[in-house]
Amino acid sequence: MSKVFIIGGAGNIGRRLSSLLATQGHIARPLFRKAEQEQPLRDRGAEPVNGDLTRLDSAALAALMAGSDVVVFTAGAGGKGGEELTNAIDGEGLKTAVAAAQQAGIKRFLLVSAFPEAGRGKNLSATFENYMRVKKMADVALAQSQLDWVIVRPGTLTDEQGSGKVNAGLAIPYGDIPREDVAATLAEIIDRPDLNRIIIELTSGEVAIREAVGHLAKD
């Protein structure tokens, strides 16, 4: 059993991950900001933690994380609020979370990032270009830390029902993937502590999630 602190716990992937972890005997500790988000998370079997990532410094966030075994960072501005909010959540928020994990003595850190080919061939806005730049620099900040990190770069996220099958690898063709399957992949990675210091690209595919993650742990 692991205690998993989820930053972005009230988001689409975070909520799904909380449900999966509860069914697997883990304790999900999703960070939430709005009062109305708490009970729905409890209904999923989670133990919600109140806090606003953009208002916490590393010491305060470390205090909230204390006692957790794993941190999952799946927070993101989602293109809302312009460059300022993206910089605050996806950029500075990630750096604060990395520092907090180190202060709290938590070694394992999973980051949901962005697929590098996202938006290629399209007329991209300055906001999206900034989003991709910030995501890459967040990857760099985590990879340069002393944590046992895993960076997951999913393709275009959809709300379709998950199939339980993915394509996961160090470098794969771009594609879509249901959020449900991203959450299931994160849950499987949490159960594989031998899988660390690796960047995983992830789309829908034909291989069962457990098998796909198992292959990566062996390689």
Side-chain angles (χ1 to χ4, degrees):
M1 180 187 73
S2 295
K3 292 183 179 180
V4 183
F5 192 87
I6 308 171
I7 301 174
N12 288 314
I13 292 174
R15 294 196 307 270
R16 290 170 169 85
L17 179 58
S18 286
S19 297
L20 285 170
L21 292 174
T23 63
Q24 295 171 4
H26 298 298
I27 297 175
R29 305 184 66 228
L31 186 69
F32 72 96
R33 181 169 57 90
K34 299 178 181 178
E36 61 269 23
Q37 296 169 332
E38 181 175 7
Q39 191 57 48
L41 289 169
R42 290 196 183 279
D43 291 343
R44 290 173 178 267
E47 298 181 2
V49 179
N50 183 234
D52 185 340
L53 179 63
T54 63
R55 295 178 180 273
L56 294 167
D57 61 18
S58 60
L61 184 55
L64 296 180
M65 288 180 179
S68 300
D69 303 298
V70 184
V71 174
V72 177
F73 190 102
T74 183
K80 301 174 183 177
E83 294 185 9
E84 183 176 352
L85 195 57
T86 295
N87 295 346
I89 297 176
D90 303 72
E92 293 305 315
L94 180 279
K95 293 177 183 178
T96 299
V98 168
Q102 292 172 327
Q103 291 173 35
I106 302 168
K107 290 291 292 180
R108 192 148 171 77
F109 195 112
L110 279 56
L111 169 63
V112 178
S113 186
F115 206 106
E117 276 70 42
R120 176 165 288 177
K122 300 177 182 179
N123 185 19
L124 301 179
S125 66
T127 299
F128 190 81
E129 290 282 8
N130 178 70
Y131 168 81
M132 293 302 294
R133 179 188 65 79
V134 169
K135 284 293 190 184
K136 179 56 183 290
M137 293 312 297
D139 290 356
V140 171
L142 179 57
Q144 289 180 343
S145 77
Q146 299 302 308
L147 300 173
D148 291 337
W149 53 265
V150 177
I151 296 170
V152 178
R153 293 175 172 172
T156 298
L157 299 171
T158 73
D159 288 323
E160 296 175 3
Q161 183 175 354
S163 68
K165 296 182 178 181
V166 297
N167 184 12
L170 304 183
I172 62 172
Y174 189 59
D176 298 344
I177 184 167
R179 289 177 171 86
E180 191 172 292
D181 284 336
V182 176
T185 302
L186 292 170
E188 187 63 34
I189 293 171
I190 287 167
D191 277 338
R192 295 298 303 257
D194 54 329
L195 185 64
N196 61 76
R197 292 189 166 266
I198 185 174
I199 297 175
I200 302 169
E201 295 184 353
L202 185 70
T203 66
S204 292
E206 300 299 326
V207 180
I209 289 172
R210 177 167 294 181
E211 182 181 351
V213 172
H215 283 316
L216 288 166
K218 293 175 183 177
D219 289 346

